[in-house]
Amino acid sequence: SADGTVDLASDQRAPAAALPGGETSDDPRALTVQSDGKLVAAGRAFHSLQSWGLAVARYQPDGNLDPTFGDGGRVMTPLRTQTQGEAVALVVQPDGMLVVAADVRPSHFRSSDLVLARYRHDGSLDPGFGIDGMTSTDFDGAWQGTSALLPLPDGGFLVGGRARMDEVALARFDGHGLLDLSFGHVGMVTTGLDAGGFSLVEVPAMATAPHGSIVAAASLRGSLTLVRWNADGTLDPRFGTDGIARLSTS
């Protein structure tokens, strides 16, 4: 309830238990609330022993699965065979459509592809987005994981994460799921934080400012690092040192 007590009027089943997965399912990774009070959970599910799928489930405000969404409130989108993947971020557009960001990795690859999928109100993939509702970006083989999915005022999307070991990575898409070629290099930006080193960077948070700049918080060797880019993906020289501000926490 709003006061923090358990709402005994709702079904208390956890969203993870209802993510569709064929023989099994696990690992919900994202949760959001629609303007009508319905909740949407997304994660990964087994499609078969050889392949994974993106799992999305929608709940009514009382905690029951929404029968108007997918198959009894659940949707499972199969991935290619011999791949592993999971939905890791989820946003609701103003028109009610759902956009999911996922990391999808072929079983013999170390890097992942960045995959976006857009679902209509009934849980079906939106054919006007990407190819049959999905878009995939390999990030030149460097993508290591998604940490943020942000809707933009123009209807597009900004995805943030990590590339290689020490790079903060961004990709901007338009409202149809295409990379925005006016941003960075063909829609993508990578900023290295540990040139020549072997430290792993984590990117736990990202935000956009009203004037279009982008800020990411990163953790590297016990140090908090903030990075700010201009709206076109170039580093903002007015921020920190050439767009990067480091604060030691040790």
Tab-separated table of all heavy atoms in Angstrom, residues 94-149:
chain	number	residue	atom	x	y	z
A	94	PRO	N	4.872	7.348	-23.897
A	94	PRO	CA	3.630	8.095	-23.613
A	94	PRO	C	2.391	7.500	-24.263
A	94	PRO	O	1.287	7.621	-23.729
A	94	PRO	CB	3.935	9.490	-24.176
A	94	PRO	CG	5.425	9.611	-24.079
A	94	PRO	CD	5.942	8.233	-24.377
A	95	ASP	N	2.564	6.812	-25.411
A	95	ASP	CA	1.411	6.193	-26.083
A	95	ASP	C	1.091	4.806	-25.526
A	95	ASP	O	0.197	4.124	-26.023
A	95	ASP	CB	1.646	6.112	-27.585
A	95	ASP	CG	2.870	5.279	-27.961
A	95	ASP	OD1	3.488	4.668	-27.059
A	95	ASP	OD2	3.205	5.234	-29.165
A	96	GLY	N	1.823	4.374	-24.508
A	96	GLY	CA	1.535	3.099	-23.857
A	96	GLY	C	2.318	1.914	-24.379
A	96	GLY	O	2.274	0.837	-23.773
A	97	MET	N	3.049	2.088	-25.471
A	97	MET	CA	3.844	0.964	-25.961
A	97	MET	C	5.063	0.751	-25.063
A	97	MET	O	5.568	1.681	-24.439
A	97	MET	CB	4.250	1.176	-27.415
A	97	MET	CG	3.083	0.979	-28.371
A	97	MET	SD	3.575	0.643	-30.090
A	97	MET	CE	4.008	2.298	-30.614
A	98	LEU	N	5.529	-0.484	-25.020
A	98	LEU	CA	6.642	-0.871	-24.155
A	98	LEU	C	7.903	-1.088	-24.983
A	98	LEU	O	7.851	-1.730	-26.035
A	98	LEU	CB	6.310	-2.175	-23.419
A	98	LEU	CG	5.045	-2.184	-22.563
A	98	LEU	CD1	4.700	-3.614	-22.162
A	98	LEU	CD2	5.239	-1.323	-21.341
A	99	VAL	N	9.003	-0.578	-24.501
A	99	VAL	CA	10.290	-0.797	-25.158
A	99	VAL	C	11.217	-1.507	-24.179
A	99	VAL	O	11.377	-1.074	-23.030
A	99	VAL	CB	10.920	0.514	-25.641
A	99	VAL	CG1	12.285	0.252	-26.280
A	99	VAL	CG2	10.004	1.210	-26.635
A	100	VAL	N	11.799	-2.598	-24.628
A	100	VAL	CA	12.691	-3.414	-23.815
A	100	VAL	C	14.089	-3.374	-24.422
A	100	VAL	O	14.244	-3.482	-25.638
A	100	VAL	CB	12.186	-4.869	-23.762
A	100	VAL	CG1	13.230	-5.788	-23.149
A	100	VAL	CG2	10.885	-4.951	-22.980
A	101	ALA	N	15.092	-3.188	-23.579
A	101	ALA	CA	16.484	-3.323	-24.007
A	101	ALA	C	17.026	-4.634	-23.464
A	101	ALA	O	16.806	-4.975	-22.301
A	101	ALA	CB	17.327	-2.153	-23.505
A	102	ALA	N	17.742	-5.370	-24.302
A	102	ALA	CA	18.237	-6.691	-23.919
A	102	ALA	C	19.673	-6.869	-24.376
A	102	ALA	O	20.111	-6.274	-25.367
A	102	ALA	CB	17.360	-7.785	-24.524
A	103	ASP	N	20.397	-7.693	-23.636
A	103	ASP	CA	21.736	-8.116	-24.033
A	103	ASP	C	21.634	-9.551	-24.535
A	103	ASP	O	21.186	-10.446	-23.810
A	103	ASP	CB	22.698	-8.054	-22.837
A	103	ASP	CG	22.883	-6.638	-22.329
A	103	ASP	OD1	22.852	-5.701	-23.142
A	103	ASP	OD2	23.053	-6.466	-21.098
A	104	VAL	N	22.043	-9.761	-25.770
A	104	VAL	CA	21.918	-11.071	-26.406
A	104	VAL	C	23.295	-11.493	-26.900
A	104	VAL	O	23.945	-10.765	-27.650
A	104	VAL	CB	20.920	-11.025	-27.576
A	104	VAL	CG1	20.854	-12.386	-28.264
A	104	VAL	CG2	19.544	-10.609	-27.072
A	105	ARG	N	23.732	-12.680	-26.478
A	105	ARG	CA	25.076	-13.140	-26.798
A	105	ARG	C	25.047	-14.533	-27.420
A	105	ARG	O	24.529	-15.470	-26.814
A	105	ARG	CB	25.935	-13.172	-25.541
A	105	ARG	CG	27.398	-13.525	-25.806
A	105	ARG	CD	28.217	-13.540	-24.522
A	105	ARG	NE	27.909	-14.696	-23.685
A	105	ARG	CZ	27.229	-14.666	-22.565
A	105	ARG	NH1	26.753	-13.521	-22.103
A	105	ARG	NH2	27.006	-15.763	-21.871
A	106	PRO	N	25.604	-14.681	-28.619
A	106	PRO	CA	25.789	-16.033	-29.149
A	106	PRO	C	26.650	-16.844	-28.188
A	106	PRO	O	27.566	-16.316	-27.556
A	106	PRO	CB	26.509	-15.796	-30.481
A	106	PRO	CG	26.144	-14.393	-30.858
A	106	PRO	CD	26.048	-13.649	-29.566
A	107	SER	N	26.363	-18.115	-28.066
A	107	SER	CA	26.998	-18.943	-27.041
A	107	SER	C	28.517	-19.005	-27.180
A	107	SER	O	29.229	-19.233	-26.204
A	107	SER	CB	26.424	-20.365	-27.079
A	107	SER	OG	26.608	-20.939	-28.368
A	108	HIS	N	29.061	-18.785	-28.386
A	108	HIS	CA	30.501	-18.887	-28.589
A	108	HIS	C	31.175	-17.510	-28.622
A	108	HIS	O	32.354	-17.408	-28.920
A	108	HIS	CB	30.803	-19.631	-29.891
A	108	HIS	CG	30.206	-18.993	-31.107
A	108	HIS	ND1	28.860	-19.009	-31.362
A	108	HIS	CD2	30.779	-18.298	-32.130
A	108	HIS	CE1	28.612	-18.366	-32.497
A	108	HIS	NE2	29.756	-17.923	-32.979
A	109	PHE	N	30.439	-16.444	-28.305
A	109	PHE	CA	30.987	-15.097	-28.327
A	109	PHE	C	31.135	-14.573	-26.902
A	109	PHE	O	30.365	-14.919	-26.008
A	109	PHE	CB	30.059	-14.142	-29.102
A	109	PHE	CG	30.246	-14.191	-30.589
A	109	PHE	CD1	30.187	-15.394	-31.281
A	109	PHE	CD2	30.482	-13.040	-31.304
A	109	PHE	CE1	30.346	-15.447	-32.648
A	109	PHE	CE2	30.651	-13.070	-32.680
A	109	PHE	CZ	30.578	-14.272	-33.348
A	110	ARG	N	32.123	-13.705	-26.687
A	110	ARG	CA	32.284	-13.063	-25.394
A	110	ARG	C	31.512	-11.753	-25.314
A	110	ARG	O	31.125	-11.322	-24.236
A	110	ARG	CB	33.764	-12.796	-25.119
A	110	ARG	CG	34.569	-14.064	-24.884
A	110	ARG	CD	35.987	-13.743	-24.471
A	110	ARG	NE	36.754	-14.944	-24.179
A	110	ARG	CZ	38.012	-14.949	-23.767
A	110	ARG	NH1	38.651	-13.800	-23.599
A	110	ARG	NH2	38.635	-16.087	-23.536
A	111	SER	N	31.314	-11.072	-26.443
A	111	SER	CA	30.572	-9.820	-26.460
A	111	SER	C	29.108	-10.082	-26.778
A	111	SER	O	28.738	-11.163	-27.251
A	111	SER	CB	31.167	-8.857	-27.488
A	111	SER	OG	31.067	-9.407	-28.787
A	112	SER	N	28.292	-9.078	-26.511
A	112	SER	CA	26.850	-9.198	-26.716
A	112	SER	C	26.397	-8.274	-27.834
A	112	SER	O	27.116	-7.357	-28.247
A	112	SER	CB	26.097	-8.830	-25.433
A	112	SER	OG	26.434	-9.679	-24.366
A	113	ASP	N	25.200	-8.515	-28.320
A	113	ASP	CA	24.499	-7.569	-29.167
A	113	ASP	C	23.510	-6.804	-28.304
A	113	ASP	O	22.914	-7.370	-27.381
A	113	ASP	CB	23.737	-8.288	-30.283
A	113	ASP	CG	24.660	-8.888	-31.336
A	113	ASP	OD1	25.859	-8.529	-31.347
A	113	ASP	OD2	24.180	-9.722	-32.124
A	114	LEU	N	23.345	-5.527	-28.600
A	114	LEU	CA	22.323	-4.713	-27.952
A	114	LEU	C	21.038	-4.859	-28.755
A	114	LEU	O	20.998	-4.513	-29.945
A	114	LEU	CB	22.774	-3.257	-27.897
A	114	LEU	CG	21.709	-2.218	-27.541
A	114	LEU	CD1	21.134	-2.480	-26.163
A	114	LEU	CD2	22.300	-0.812	-27.633
A	115	VAL	N	19.995	-5.368	-28.133
A	115	VAL	CA	18.727	-5.620	-28.812
A	115	VAL	C	17.634	-4.768	-28.176
A	115	VAL	O	17.519	-4.706	-26.949
A	115	VAL	CB	18.344	-7.111	-28.738
A	115	VAL	CG1	16.931	-7.336	-29.273
A	115	VAL	CG2	19.354	-7.950	-29.526
A	116	LEU	N	16.849	-4.095	-29.010
A	116	LEU	CA	15.656	-3.388	-28.561
A	116	LEU	C	14.431	-4.065	-29.165
A	116	LEU	O	14.455	-4.503	-30.320
A	116	LEU	CB	15.674	-1.920	-28.991
A	116	LEU	CG	16.783	-1.019	-28.444
A	116	LEU	CD1	16.586	0.404	-28.946
A	116	LEU	CD2	16.821	-1.052	-26.930
A	117	ALA	N	13.371	-4.160	-28.380
A	117	ALA	CA	12.104	-4.708	-28.856
A	117	ALA	C	10.980	-3.796	-28.381
A	117	ALA	O	11.008	-3.308	-27.247
A	117	ALA	CB	11.886	-6.123	-28.327
A	118	ARG	N	10.013	-3.550	-29.254
A	118	ARG	CA	8.870	-2.713	-28.860
A	118	ARG	C	7.574	-3.508	-28.989
A	118	ARG	O	7.313	-4.129	-30.021
A	118	ARG	CB	8.789	-1.435	-29.699
A	118	ARG	CG	7.687	-0.494	-29.191
A	118	ARG	CD	7.898	0.931	-29.645
A	118	ARG	NE	7.652	1.118	-31.069
A	118	ARG	CZ	7.901	2.271	-31.706
A	118	ARG	NH1	8.415	3.298	-31.034
A	118	ARG	NH2	7.655	2.378	-32.994
A	119	TYR	N	6.795	-3.447	-27.923
A	119	TYR	CA	5.543	-4.194	-27.845
A	119	TYR	C	4.355	-3.239	-27.850
A	119	TYR	O	4.374	-2.203	-27.179
A	119	TYR	CB	5.514	-5.047	-26.574
A	119	TYR	CG	6.602	-6.086	-26.503
A	119	TYR	CD1	7.852	-5.777	-25.964
A	119	TYR	CD2	6.392	-7.376	-26.984
A	119	TYR	CE1	8.865	-6.730	-25.910
A	119	TYR	CE2	7.394	-8.327	-26.933
A	119	TYR	CZ	8.627	-8.002	-26.394
A	119	TYR	OH	9.635	-8.937	-26.340
A	120	ARG	N	3.315	-3.643	-28.578
A	120	ARG	CA	2.079	-2.860	-28.591
A	120	ARG	C	1.255	-3.161	-27.343
A	120	ARG	O	1.634	-3.990	-26.513
A	120	ARG	CB	1.297	-3.169	-29.876
A	120	ARG	CG	2.061	-2.732	-31.119
A	120	ARG	CD	1.250	-2.881	-32.387
A	120	ARG	NE	1.048	-4.272	-32.768
A	120	ARG	CZ	0.610	-4.666	-33.961
A	120	ARG	NH1	0.342	-3.771	-34.898
A	120	ARG	NH2	0.449	-5.942	-34.232
A	121	HIS	N	0.124	-2.475	-27.225
A	121	HIS	CA	-0.692	-2.601	-26.010
A	121	HIS	C	-1.121	-4.033	-25.726
A	121	HIS	O	-1.284	-4.418	-24.567
A	121	HIS	CB	-1.946	-1.706	-26.128
A	121	HIS	CG	-1.635	-0.260	-26.342
A	121	HIS	ND1	-1.260	0.242	-27.565
A	121	HIS	CD2	-1.631	0.781	-25.475
A	121	HIS	CE1	-1.050	1.545	-27.450
A	121	HIS	NE2	-1.256	1.909	-26.210
A	122	ASP	N	-1.286	-4.837	-26.785
A	122	ASP	CA	-1.753	-6.208	-26.593
A	122	ASP	C	-0.607	-7.206	-26.416
A	122	ASP	O	-0.841	-8.407	-26.324
A	122	ASP	CB	-2.642	-6.635	-27.756
A	122	ASP	CG	-1.922	-6.628	-29.104
A	122	ASP	OD1	-0.720	-6.270	-29.146
A	122	ASP	OD2	-2.561	-6.979	-30.121
A	123	GLY	N	0.630	-6.717	-26.403
A	123	GLY	CA	1.780	-7.601	-26.221
A	123	GLY	C	2.416	-8.083	-27.505
A	123	GLY	O	3.454	-8.759	-27.457
A	124	SER	N	1.846	-7.742	-28.650
A	124	SER	CA	2.448	-8.141	-29.925
A	124	SER	C	3.579	-7.178	-30.267
A	124	SER	O	3.578	-6.002	-29.877
A	124	SER	CB	1.405	-8.147	-31.043
A	124	SER	OG	0.825	-6.856	-31.200
A	125	LEU	N	4.584	-7.672	-30.995
A	125	LEU	CA	5.676	-6.821	-31.431
A	125	LEU	C	5.186	-5.783	-32.431
A	125	LEU	O	4.316	-6.065	-33.259
A	125	LEU	CB	6.787	-7.667	-32.050
A	125	LEU	CG	7.624	-8.493	-31.068
A	125	LEU	CD1	8.458	-9.516	-31.831
A	125	LEU	CD2	8.520	-7.592	-30.234
A	126	ASP	N	5.729	-4.586	-32.346
A	126	ASP	CA	5.321	-3.480	-33.211
A	126	ASP	C	6.060	-3.585	-34.545
A	126	ASP	O	7.272	-3.388	-34.602
A	126	ASP	CB	5.659	-2.156	-32.522
A	126	ASP	CG	5.360	-0.949	-33.397
A	126	ASP	OD1	4.662	-1.103	-34.420
A	126	ASP	OD2	5.842	0.149	-33.058
A	127	PRO	N	5.350	-3.878	-35.653
A	127	PRO	CA	6.039	-4.040	-36.939
A	127	PRO	C	6.647	-2.743	-37.467
A	127	PRO	O	7.472	-2.782	-38.385
A	127	PRO	CB	4.927	-4.559	-37.869
A	127	PRO	CG	3.669	-4.058	-37.252
A	127	PRO	CD	3.896	-4.079	-35.776
A	128	GLY	N	6.282	-1.595	-36.895
A	128	GLY	CA	6.846	-0.326	-37.316
A	128	GLY	C	8.146	0.022	-36.625
A	128	GLY	O	8.684	1.118	-36.821
A	129	PHE	N	8.669	-0.904	-35.833
A	129	PHE	CA	9.893	-0.667	-35.076
A	129	PHE	C	10.952	-1.659	-35.519
A	129	PHE	O	10.745	-2.877	-35.455
A	129	PHE	CB	9.605	-0.838	-33.582
A	129	PHE	CG	10.754	-0.486	-32.683
A	129	PHE	CD1	11.006	0.831	-32.340
A	129	PHE	CD2	11.579	-1.466	-32.174
A	129	PHE	CE1	12.059	1.170	-31.504
A	129	PHE	CE2	12.637	-1.154	-31.333
A	129	PHE	CZ	12.880	0.176	-31.002
A	130	GLY	N	12.104	-1.142	-35.986
A	130	GLY	CA	13.172	-2.035	-36.422
A	130	GLY	C	12.698	-2.976	-37.517
A	130	GLY	O	11.992	-2.578	-38.447
A	131	ILE	N	13.046	-4.239	-37.395
A	131	ILE	CA	12.599	-5.278	-38.315
A	131	ILE	C	11.647	-6.179	-37.554
A	131	ILE	O	12.050	-6.893	-36.628
A	131	ILE	CB	13.790	-6.097	-38.866
A	131	ILE	CG1	14.749	-5.179	-39.637
A	131	ILE	CG2	13.292	-7.232	-39.761
A	131	ILE	CD1	15.999	-5.876	-40.116
A	132	ASP	N	10.377	-6.100	-37.896
A	132	ASP	CA	9.344	-6.908	-37.243
A	132	ASP	C	9.319	-6.690	-35.732
A	132	ASP	O	9.090	-7.625	-34.958
A	132	ASP	CB	9.536	-8.393	-37.557
A	132	ASP	CG	9.398	-8.694	-39.046
A	132	ASP	OD1	8.593	-8.006	-39.700
A	132	ASP	OD2	10.087	-9.593	-39.540
A	133	GLY	N	9.602	-5.460	-35.310
A	133	GLY	CA	9.478	-5.131	-33.898
A	133	GLY	C	10.750	-5.180	-33.097
A	133	GLY	O	10.740	-4.874	-31.896
A	134	MET	N	11.868	-5.559	-33.718
A	134	MET	CA	13.130	-5.682	-32.993
A	134	MET	C	14.271	-5.075	-33.795
A	134	MET	O	14.225	-5.021	-35.025
A	134	MET	CB	13.439	-7.148	-32.682
A	134	MET	CG	12.364	-7.856	-31.877
A	134	MET	SD	12.782	-9.579	-31.493
A	134	MET	CE	14.069	-9.347	-30.254
A	135	THR	N	15.295	-4.600	-33.090
A	135	THR	CA	16.500	-4.095	-33.727
A	135	THR	C	17.701	-4.598	-32.957
A	135	THR	O	17.661	-4.754	-31.738
A	135	THR	CB	16.500	-2.558	-33.780
A	135	THR	OG1	17.654	-2.100	-34.468
A	135	THR	CG2	16.452	-1.951	-32.395
A	136	SER	N	18.788	-4.896	-33.662
A	136	SER	CA	19.979	-5.459	-33.040
A	136	SER	C	21.211	-4.686	-33.497
A	136	SER	O	21.366	-4.391	-34.683
A	136	SER	CB	20.128	-6.938	-33.426
A	136	SER	OG	21.288	-7.498	-32.847
A	137	THR	N	22.077	-4.340	-32.543
A	137	THR	CA	23.300	-3.597	-32.815
A	137	THR	C	24.468	-4.334	-32.186
A	137	THR	O	24.452	-4.608	-30.984
A	137	THR	CB	23.206	-2.169	-32.230
A	137	THR	OG1	22.045	-1.518	-32.754
A	137	THR	CG2	24.446	-1.359	-32.563
A	138	ASP	N	25.494	-4.648	-32.974
A	138	ASP	CA	26.614	-5.428	-32.427
A	138	ASP	C	27.712	-4.557	-31.826
A	138	ASP	O	28.631	-5.062	-31.183
A	138	ASP	CB	27.197	-6.376	-33.472
A	138	ASP	CG	27.904	-5.656	-34.614
A	138	ASP	OD1	28.051	-4.421	-34.575
A	138	ASP	OD2	28.315	-6.342	-35.570
A	139	PHE	N	27.645	-3.234	-32.049
A	139	PHE	CA	28.595	-2.298	-31.444
A	139	PHE	C	30.029	-2.688	-31.772
A	139	PHE	O	30.926	-2.597	-30.927
A	139	PHE	CB	28.396	-2.228	-29.928
A	139	PHE	CG	28.234	-0.825	-29.402
A	139	PHE	CD1	26.989	-0.248	-29.304
A	139	PHE	CD2	29.342	-0.093	-29.002
A	139	PHE	CE1	26.830	1.039	-28.831
A	139	PHE	CE2	29.203	1.192	-28.519
A	139	PHE	CZ	27.939	1.777	-28.434
A	140	ASP	N	30.245	-3.114	-33.010
A	140	ASP	CA	31.579	-3.518	-33.463
A	140	ASP	C	32.191	-4.600	-32.579
A	140	ASP	O	33.409	-4.667	-32.383
A	140	ASP	CB	32.524	-2.312	-33.528
A	140	ASP	CG	32.083	-1.281	-34.562
A	140	ASP	OD1	31.521	-1.694	-35.586
A	140	ASP	OD2	32.295	-0.074	-34.339
A	141	GLY	N	31.350	-5.448	-32.023
A	141	GLY	CA	31.833	-6.562	-31.213
A	141	GLY	C	32.311	-6.183	-29.837
A	141	GLY	O	32.948	-7.005	-29.164
A	142	ALA	N	31.994	-4.956	-29.378
A	142	ALA	CA	32.542	-4.483	-28.103
A	142	ALA	C	31.521	-4.413	-26.977
A	142	ALA	O	31.892	-4.215	-25.823
A	142	ALA	CB	33.163	-3.091	-28.296
A	143	TRP	N	30.229	-4.563	-27.267
A	143	TRP	CA	29.192	-4.361	-26.250
A	143	TRP	C	29.284	-5.431	-25.160
A	143	TRP	O	29.341	-6.618	-25.440
A	143	TRP	CB	27.815	-4.397	-26.889
A	143	TRP	CG	26.710	-3.949	-25.978
A	143	TRP	CD1	25.810	-4.739	-25.327
A	143	TRP	CD2	26.381	-2.601	-25.639
A	143	TRP	NE1	24.932	-3.968	-24.589
A	143	TRP	CE2	25.273	-2.654	-24.762
A	143	TRP	CE3	26.902	-1.359	-25.977
A	143	TRP	CZ2	24.675	-1.502	-24.227
A	143	TRP	CZ3	26.319	-0.217	-25.447
A	143	TRP	CH2	25.219	-0.297	-24.582
A	144	GLN	N	29.277	-4.974	-23.895
A	144	GLN	CA	29.400	-5.890	-22.766
A	144	GLN	C	28.191	-5.906	-21.838
A	144	GLN	O	28.082	-6.793	-21.001
A	144	GLN	CB	30.645	-5.539	-21.945
A	144	GLN	CG	31.950	-5.726	-22.685
A	144	GLN	CD	32.203	-7.175	-23.038
A	144	GLN	OE1	31.925	-8.079	-22.262
A	144	GLN	NE2	32.724	-7.414	-24.234
A	145	GLY	N	27.309	-4.930	-21.958
A	145	GLY	CA	26.138	-4.980	-21.092
A	145	GLY	C	25.421	-3.657	-21.005
A	145	GLY	O	26.033	-2.586	-21.011
A	146	THR	N	24.085	-3.727	-20.911
A	146	THR	CA	23.234	-2.545	-20.818
A	146	THR	C	23.016	-2.157	-19.367
A	146	THR	O	22.812	-3.025	-18.519
A	146	THR	CB	21.874	-2.820	-21.481
A	146	THR	OG1	22.073	-3.181	-22.845
A	146	THR	CG2	20.952	-1.617	-21.401
A	147	SER	N	23.059	-0.860	-19.099
A	147	SER	CA	22.778	-0.388	-17.749
A	147	SER	C	21.638	0.615	-17.695
A	147	SER	O	21.083	0.857	-16.626
A	147	SER	CB	24.029	0.245	-17.125
A	147	SER	OG	24.502	1.304	-17.918
A	148	ALA	N	21.269	1.216	-18.831
A	148	ALA	CA	20.209	2.227	-18.807
A	148	ALA	C	19.510	2.303	-20.151
A	148	ALA	O	20.135	2.131	-21.205
A	148	ALA	CB	20.784	3.597	-18.448
A	149	LEU	N	18.213	2.543	-20.101
A	149	LEU	CA	17.392	2.808	-21.285
A	149	LEU	C	16.550	4.030	-20.968
A	149	LEU	O	15.730	4.005	-20.048
A	149	LEU	CB	16.504	1.601	-21.611
A	149	LEU	CG	15.424	1.808	-22.683
A	149	LEU	CD1	16.051	2.124	-24.033
A	149	LEU	CD2	14.528	0.569	-22.795
